C-alpha cells in the first residue's frame, strides 16, 4: 500500500463520510417523520416533480466542478466562465419549466402537478447563483470546510421542512423544503468563501472539451436511476412512485451514500497520481476496500431486516415497500462499488470511457426492464436495476484493468475478509430470526441491528488478526477502536479519583 498518500486519503474520506453521514442522518430522520405525516401520494407528487427537475438540471450540469478539479491550474476566468454558464442555464431552464407545467400535469394525469412545477421552476434560478469558487475546498482537499458548507444549510432546512409538514400536512412541505435548502446553500457558499464573480465566457471552450462528456454521462446516470420514479408514476400510479421513492431513499442510504463521500475524497487523490500508475492502483485498491468494508454489511444487513424495518419505522401503510427495499439494497451495494471505477477515467482525463460505461448500463437497464416485461409491478424496475448494475460492474472492471493494469485477483483478496464476514453476519441474523421468531417491533429491529454490527465487527477483526494484521482499512478501524478504548479508560480513572 502507498503509505505516503493513504493517510491523507483516509482522513479526507473520513471527513467526507462524516459530512455525508450528518446530512443523510438529517435526511433520514426528516423522511421518517414525514412518512408518518404525509401519504404515499404526497411523496409521489414530490418525487415526480423533483425527478423532472433533476432531469432538466442534467442539461446544465456540465461537470464544471469536475473539469476544474482535473485542470489543476486555474485562472479567475475559469471560475467566471463556470458561474456565467450556470446563470444562463438557470434562466433558460426556469422558463422551460414554466412553459411545460400544464403539459406535464396532463401527461401524468394529475392537475396537482401544475402549481408544483411552477414552484419548482424557481429552483433553477436560485441554484444558478451558487458560488463556483467553493470547488477550491475539493481541489485543496479542505473537506472540513466542505462539511460546514453542506451541513449548516441542511440542518436549518431540516427543522424548517418538519415545521411546514406539521402546519400544512401536504406535499407542499416537501417542495418548500427543497426551496429553503437551495436558498441556504447559495447564501452559505458566499459566507464561507467570499467571491465576486464576473460575467465571462473566456474559458468556455477549454471547459466544454472535458465537461461535455460529463454532462452526457450524468444524463445516462439519470436515465438509469432517477427516471424510474417517472416510469413508475406513469405506468403504475402516483402512490407507487411515492413508495418507490421512499424505498430507494432508505435502501441506498447505507451503500451509495457511503461510497459517495469516499469517491469524492479519492478523486482529487487520483488526479494527483494520474501519471503514476503504481500509486494509482494502490489508491484504487484502498478506495474499493473502504467502500466494501462499510457498504456491504450495511446493505445486506438492511436487506435481512427489511421486514422489521418497514412496519416499525415507516408504518403499516408502507408495507409494500419491503420487497422493493430488499432488492434496492442489493443494487445499491453493487452500484457503489462500481462507481469508484469511473473516477479513475475522470482523473486520467478520459471522460469518454465513463460515458461509454454509463451508456452500456442504461441500455442494459431498459433492455431488462422492457425485454423481460418488468414494468408490471413496483418490484420489476428494482430487479432491472440489479441486473444492469451487474453488467456495469463487469464492464467497468474490465476497462479499468485494461487502462491501469489492476489485478482482479488482488481486488478480490483485498475485499475477501469483508465479503466473508458479511455473509457470516447474514447467516447469523437469518438463523436468529428463523428460530427465535421475534415479535415485530422497534426494540427487536434495533436488537437485530446491534447484533448484526457486533457479529460483523467480530468476524472481520478476527479475520484481520488471522491474516497477520495487514496494513489496510481494518487496521485503521482497529486503531480508532483502540484509541477510543484508551480514552474511555483514562476518563474512568479520572472519575474514580
Amino acid at each position: 500500500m502507498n503509505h505516503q498518500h493513504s493517510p491523507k486519503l483516509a482522513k479526507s474520506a473520513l471527513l467526507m463520510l462524516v459530512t455525508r453521514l450528518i446530512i443523510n442522518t438529517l435526511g433520514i430522520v426528516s423522511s421518517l417523520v414525514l412518512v408518518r405525516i404525509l401519504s404515499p401520494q404526497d411523496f409521489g407528487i414530490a418525487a415526480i416533480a423533483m425527478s423532472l427537475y433533476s432531469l432538466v438540471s442534467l442539461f446544465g450540469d456540465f461537470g464544471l466542478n469536475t473539469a476544474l478539479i482535473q485542470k489543476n491550474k486555474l485562472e479567475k476566468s475559469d471560475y467566471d466562465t463556470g458561474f456565467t454558464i450556470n446563470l444562463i442555464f438557470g434562466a433558460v431552464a426556469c422558463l422551460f419549466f414554466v412553459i411545460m407545467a400544464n403539459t406535464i400535469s396532463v401527461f401524468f394525469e394529475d392537475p396537482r402537478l401544475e402549481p408544483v412545477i411552477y414552484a419548482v421552476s424557481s429552483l433553477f434560478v436560485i441554484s444558478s447563483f451558487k458560488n463556483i469558487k467553493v470547488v477550491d475546498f475539493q481541489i485543496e482537499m479542505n473537506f472540513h470546510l466542505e462539511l460546514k458548507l453542506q451541513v449548516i444549510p441542511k440542518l436549518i432546512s431540516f427543522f424548517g421542512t418538519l415545521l411546514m409538514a406539521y402546519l400544512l400536512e401536504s406535499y407542499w412541505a416537501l417542495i418548500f423544503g427543497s426551496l429553503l435548502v437551495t436558498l441556504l446553500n447559495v447564501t452559505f457558499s458566499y459566507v464561507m468563501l467570499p467571491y465576486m464573480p464576473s460575467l465571462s465566457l473566456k474559458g468556455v471552450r477549454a471547459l466544454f472539451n472535458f465537461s461535455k462528456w460529463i454532462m452526457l454521462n450524468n444524463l445516462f446516470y439519470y436515465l438509469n436511476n432517477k427516471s424510474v420514479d417517472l416510469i413508475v408514476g406513469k405506468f403504475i400510479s402516483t402512490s407507487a412512485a411515492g413508495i418507490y421513492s421512499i424505498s430507494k431513499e432508505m435502501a441506498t442510504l447505507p451503500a451509495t451514500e457511503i461510497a459517495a463521500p469516499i469517491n469524492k475524497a479519492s478523486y482529487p487523490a487520483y488526479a494527483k497520481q494520474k501519471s503514476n500508475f503504481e500509486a494509482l492502483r494502490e489508491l484504487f485498491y484502498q478506495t474499493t476496500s473502504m467502500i466494501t468494508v462499510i457498504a456491504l454489511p450495511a446493505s445486506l444487513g438492511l436487506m435481512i431486516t427489511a421486514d422489521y424495518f418497514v412496519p416499525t419505522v415507516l408504518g403499516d401503510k408502507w408495507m409494500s415497500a419491503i420487497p422493493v427495499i430488499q432488492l434496492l439494497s442489493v443494487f445499491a451495494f453493487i452500484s457503489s462499488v462500481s462507481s469508484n471505477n469511473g473516477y479513475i477515467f475522470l482523473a486520467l482525463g478520459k471522460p469518454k470511457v465513463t460515458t461509454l460505461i454509463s451508456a452500456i448500463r442504461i441500455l442494459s437497464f431498459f433492455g431488462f426492464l422492457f425485454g423481460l416485461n418488468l414494468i408490471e409491478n413496483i418490484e420489476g424496475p428494482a430487479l432491472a436495476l440489479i441486473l444492469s448494475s451487474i453488467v456495469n460492474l463487469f464492464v467497468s472492471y474490465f476497462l479499468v484493468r485494461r487502462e491501469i493494469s489492476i489485478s482482479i485477483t488482488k481486488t478480490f483478496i483485498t475485499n475477501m475478509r469483508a465479503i466473508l464476514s458479511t455473509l457470516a453476519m447474514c447467516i447469523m441474523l437469518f438463523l436468529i430470526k428463523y428460530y427465535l421468531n421475534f415479535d415485530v417491533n422497534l426494540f427487536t429491529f434495533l436488537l437485530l441491528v446491534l447484533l448484526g454490527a457486533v457479529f460483523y465487527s467480530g468476524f472481520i477483526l478476527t479475520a484481520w488478526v488471522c491474516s497477520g494484521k495487514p496494513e489496510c482499512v481494518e487496521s485503521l478501524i482497529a486503531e480508532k477502536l483502540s484509541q477510543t478504548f484508551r480514552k474511555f479508560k483514562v476518563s474512568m480513572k479520572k472519575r474514580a479519583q
Side-chain angles (χ1 to χ4, degrees), residues 364-494:
S364 63
F365 167 67
F366 282 108
F368 289 127
L369 184 65
F370 293 106
L372 300 179
N373 196 26
L374 298 176
I375 196 61
E376 294 185 347
N377 56 58
I378 197 172
E379 295 89 356
L383 180 57
L385 283 174
I386 291 177
L387 296 174
S388 63
S389 66
I390 293 173
V391 172
N392 180 71
L393 180 66
F394 282 104
V395 170
S396 61
Y397 263 95
F398 170 78
L399 292 173
V400 171
R401 183 174 182 271
R402 190 179 68 171
E403 189 68 37
I404 63 171
S405 302
I406 62 165
S407 168
I408 302 298
T409 302
K410 184 172 181 179
T411 303
F412 177 76
I413 292 174
T414 303
N415 296 289
M416 184 171 62
R417 288 186 297 274
I419 294 171
L420 295 178
S421 298
T422 301
L423 291 176
M425 176 198 74
C426 290
I427 291 171
M428 293 297 293
L429 290 178
F430 175 79
L431 292 175
I432 289 172
K433 286 172 56 181
Y434 183 79
Y435 286 106
L436 298 184
N437 195 24
F438 286 141
D439 291 333
V440 178
N441 55 54
L442 183 59
F443 173 77
T444 54
F445 167 67
L446 294 176
L447 178 61
L448 288 172
V449 172
L450 177 61
L451 289 173
V454 171
F455 287 143
Y456 177 73
S457 299
F459 288 137
I460 196 167
L461 289 176
T462 300
W464 173 67
V465 171
C466 292
S467 301
K469 298 182 180 181
E471 186 73 20
C472 57
V473 179
E474 290 95 317
S475 61
L476 295 174
I477 296 174
E479 182 182 347
K480 291 295 181 183
L481 290 174
S482 178
Q483 290 175 356
T484 302
F485 181 69
R486 285 197 297 269
K487 289 179 181 178
F488 176 76
K489 285 179 66 178
V490 172
S491 177
M492 294 301 293
K493 285 182 180 179
K494 287 182 179 179

Side-chain angles (χ1 to χ4, degrees), residues 67-339:
L68 291 172
I69 292 172
Q70 202 274 341
K71 190 174 180 181
N72 290 333
K73 294 181 180 180
L74 298 173
E75 300 176 359
K76 187 178 185 300
S77 60
D78 294 317
Y79 296 107
D80 291 340
T81 298
F83 175 81
T84 305
I85 292 172
N86 288 337
L87 207 61
I88 293 171
F89 175 79
V92 173
C94 177
L95 180 62
F96 174 77
F97 241 48
V98 169
I99 293 172
M100 294 297 296
N102 180 257
T103 303
I104 291 169
S105 67
V106 171
F107 179 77
F108 285 98
E109 301 175 359
D110 195 326
R112 293 173 297 181
L113 275 171
E114 184 171 355
V116 170
I117 295 298
Y118 287 137
V120 170
S121 67
S122 62
L123 286 173
F124 292 111
V125 176
I126 297 171
S127 61
S128 68
F129 281 93
K130 186 174 181 179
N131 186 355
I132 189 74
K133 197 131 188 345
V134 293
V135 72
D136 285 356
F137 295 161
Q138 284 182 257
I139 294 173
E140 297 166 7
M141 300 183 78
N142 290 327
F143 291 112
H144 63 287
L145 296 176
E146 183 83 8
L147 186 151
K148 292 180 182 178
L149 178 61
Q150 294 190 35
V151 170
I152 294 174
K154 187 68 176 180
L155 184 62
I156 298 173
S157 65
F158 166 77
F159 292 106
T161 303
L162 293 184
L163 177 62
M164 285 183 280
Y166 176 76
L167 295 175
L168 301 176
E169 294 187 6
S170 81
Y171 49 85
W172 279 109
L174 301 172
I175 304 304
F176 290 147
S178 297
L179 289 168
L180 178 60
V181 73
T182 303
L183 182 61
L184 289 170
N185 273 322
V186 172
T187 302
F188 274 90
S189 69
Y190 289 97
V191 172
M192 294 289 297
L193 185 61
Y195 178 69
M196 180 60 69
S198 304
L199 296 180
S200 172
L201 293 174
K202 182 180 178 182
V204 66
R205 180 173 297 180
L207 289 178
F208 266 100
N209 283 338
F210 183 89
S211 61
K212 62 185 177 184
W213 297 104
I214 303 296
M215 182 177 65
L216 187 57
N217 181 57
N218 288 338
L219 176 60
F220 287 147
Y221 175 83
Y222 173 90
L223 291 173
N224 200 61
N225 292 279
K226 301 291 186 179
S227 66
V228 182
D229 290 341
L230 302 180
I231 293 171
V232 172
K234 175 60 180 176
F235 289 96
I236 303 178
S237 68
T238 303
S239 180
I243 291 171
Y244 182 88
S245 176
I246 287 296
S247 297
K248 190 164 188 183
E249 181 180 354
M250 300 299 161
T252 57
L253 183 67
T256 307
E257 299 303 323
I258 286 170
I262 295 175
N263 286 330
K264 193 170 185 178
S266 66
Y267 175 56
Y270 286 166
K272 291 178 185 296
Q273 298 300 320
K274 59 188 176 184
S275 300
N276 185 348
F277 279 13
E278 183 179 354
L280 192 58
R281 283 193 295 270
E282 292 302 323
L283 287 171
F284 173 83
Y285 295 136
Q286 184 191 6
T287 303
T288 303
S289 179
M290 280 193 285
I291 293 173
T292 304
V293 163
I294 305 173
L296 182 58
S299 295
L300 295 193
L302 178 58
M303 183 189 73
I304 291 291
T305 59
D307 52 341
Y308 283 74
F309 170 76
V310 171
T312 59
V313 179
L314 300 185
D316 292 338
K317 60 185 176 182
W318 297 90
M319 291 297 287
S320 56
I322 293 175
V324 185
I325 288 177
Q326 290 174 325
L327 290 170
L328 289 176
S329 295
V330 177
F331 156 74
F333 169 70
I334 300 172
S335 180
S336 68
V337 173
S338 60
S339 65

